Every structure is written in structure tokens, then in C-alpha cells.
Amino acid sequence: PSGAPTAIPAPAPTAGPTKGPTAVPSLAPSGVPTASPTNEPTSNAEKKTGSPGSCFHGDSIVLLESGLPKRFSELGLGERIKTSDGQDSFSFNPVLALPHAKNKEPAAFLTLTTETGKKVDMTSDHLIPRCDLNEVTAGELVVGDCLLTADGKETLIEISSTAKNGIYTAITEGKYIVVDSVVASSFSKDPGLAKPEQDYDQYRIQLEEMRRRQLAREPKKRLRGTPLDALVD
């Protein structure tokens, strides 16, 4: 042996993986616009505007049980006015409701003139029975139609139109009221109802509810000396 030290080979460095920069995905905008809230369409009810006034003119006359005439514009609750069942029977019933307060609302009126000169003003959508009790609107009437009056059946001989201020009607227990001696409904046609007779059925339901409310208040009113017949017919 030579005694020379054995050369120990130096360890070769281990090749580690090169750590390249990690690719970060781009956060560029996608180009899709953010959806903004849309306004809901306005419902038909919200779009609906007030309809023109409808009913009788304030100067139209009803007959009181006393025999005195009275203008619609001066009529009060509880006053008994001439009504009709449409079958040649007339009676006097108390006014249970006056849907219109005193007003000067403009409206277009039709003036219906009968063969004996009776004239009544009402809006074109107001209901009126022909002699066969078929209810139509005033605007559907034609010259020659037969109308019911306080003196019997009469022929409609003229229809004219005019603009006036003031609309009124009165609700009673009678099916029809007598206005300017002509038999007519208390109501105008409801565009939401398919048949005119449904107006009267709807009215009867509302009237019964009104009477129940009156009866509920009856004891209090009687304590103040109000007779029962002043509350309910």
C-alpha cells in the first residue's frame, strides 16, 4: 500500500426542478353586462284612469211620497221616492244610498224624449229597461224603442246629446226608480260584468250588507230617540 489517501468523490449536486412563475389566470372582464333590474309593467288596474261621470243629471226630478217633486242634487237619505218593479206596479221606497256627493262633474248626457214629451237626461252607459224588461244602456237605445213611464208604455221619439255638469243617482230597495216620469235603473253598466242583470244581483248583495250595518247601529240610534222606521223601511 502506498499510504496515499483515497480520493472521495464529491457528491454531484442534485438537479432540482426549476420553479417557473405560476401562471395566474387573467381576471379580465367577460364582456357580459351586468343585468340591471327591469321595471315590472304597470298592471291594467294601475294604468286605468278614472272613467267619465255616469248617471242622471242633478236637475233630474224624482217624485216624493208627499207628491212633491225634488231634484237629484237636493235629495237626502231616507226620503221616500217613487220606484217601480217594472211590472206596472209603483211604490215609494226610502233612499238608502246616494253614491255621489254634491258635485259639478262634467259629463255627456243623452236626452231621451217620449211620445208624450217626457224627457230624461242620463249618460250613455246608464241602464234603462225597454218595455220587454230587457235592460240596455241609454247609448244602445234607438228611436222607436218602447220605454216604461209613470203613465205606461211610451215610444221613444228623439235622442239628443248635450254636455252638462253634475251627476247623481239614488239607491233604494226598488228594482227601478222613476226619474222625470221615466222608469230607469239606479245603475250604470259595469264593464266587468258580462250581463246587465248582474248589476242588480250585485246591488242586492251590497244592499243587504248595508241593512245589516244599519241594524247593528239601531240600538244606539233608538236611545237617542230615532224611530226604527227612520232606519229601516
Side-chain angles (χ1 to χ4, degrees):
S2 62
T6 304
I8 299 173
T14 304
T18 303
K19 293 183 178 180
T22 304
V24 179
S26 170
L27 297 179
S30 64
V32 179
T34 303
S36 58
T38 58
N39 294 325
E40 291 295 324
T42 305
S43 67
N44 288 336
E46 291 171 329
K47 287 180 180 178
K48 188 176 180 180
T49 58
S51 58
S54 57
C55 281
F56 301 98
H57 186 249
D59 286 340
S60 294
I61 299 294
V62 293
L63 186 66
L64 300 181
E65 191 171 26
S66 64
L68 296 175
K70 196 158 192 179
R71 290 186 178 89
F72 257 123
S73 59
E74 300 170 349
L75 193 61
L77 291 173
E79 294 191 276
R80 299 174 70 89
I81 63 174
K82 191 169 186 176
T83 62
S84 170
D85 65 356
Q87 301 285 348
D88 298 325
S89 178
F90 297 93
S91 59
F92 291 88
N93 282 281
V95 175
L96 299 178
L98 294 168
H100 304 284
K102 281 192 174 295
N103 68 90
K104 293 184 179 180
E105 185 173 343
F109 291 91
L110 295 178
T111 300
L112 310 178
T113 304
T114 71
E115 60 185 291
T116 63
K118 295 180 178 66
K119 294 177 182 287
V120 60
D121 291 331
M122 64 181 70
T123 53
S124 62
D125 60 347
H126 201 85
L127 292 170
I128 182 170
R130 293 191 181 109
C131 292
D132 59 2
L133 297 186
N134 177 33
E135 286 188 18
V136 296
T137 63
E140 294 173 313
L141 291 173
V142 295
V143 170
D145 277 342
C146 180
L147 299 182
L148 299 171
T149 78
D151 299 315
K153 299 177 180 179
E154 296 189 19
T155 302
L156 178 63
I157 63 169
E158 184 181 354
I159 303 173
S160 58
S161 60
T162 185
K164 297 182 179 181
N165 295 329
I167 56 169
Y168 293 87
T169 191
I171 296 175
T172 74
E173 280 196 321
K175 184 168 185 179
Y176 301 114
I177 57 177
V178 181
V179 183
D180 292 320
S181 297
V182 176
V183 175
S185 171
S186 294
F187 303 99
S188 297
K189 185 174 182 180
D190 183 343
L193 297 177
K195 298 181 179 180
E197 59 266 25
Q198 291 176 337
D199 285 90
Y200 184 67
D201 294 337
Q202 186 180 74
Y203 148 66
R204 297 300 301 179
I205 294 171
Q206 294 170 346
L207 178 60
E208 186 58 34
E209 178 60 29
M210 186 184 304
R211 289 178 67 85
R212 282 198 294 267
R213 289 198 300 268
Q214 286 179 318
L215 288 171
R217 294 195 299 267
E218 175 195 331
K220 296 179 182 178
K221 288 193 174 185
R222 292 189 72 185
L223 287 174
R224 294 197 294 268
T226 303
L228 178 60
D229 60 1
L231 300 172
V232 182
D233 180 38

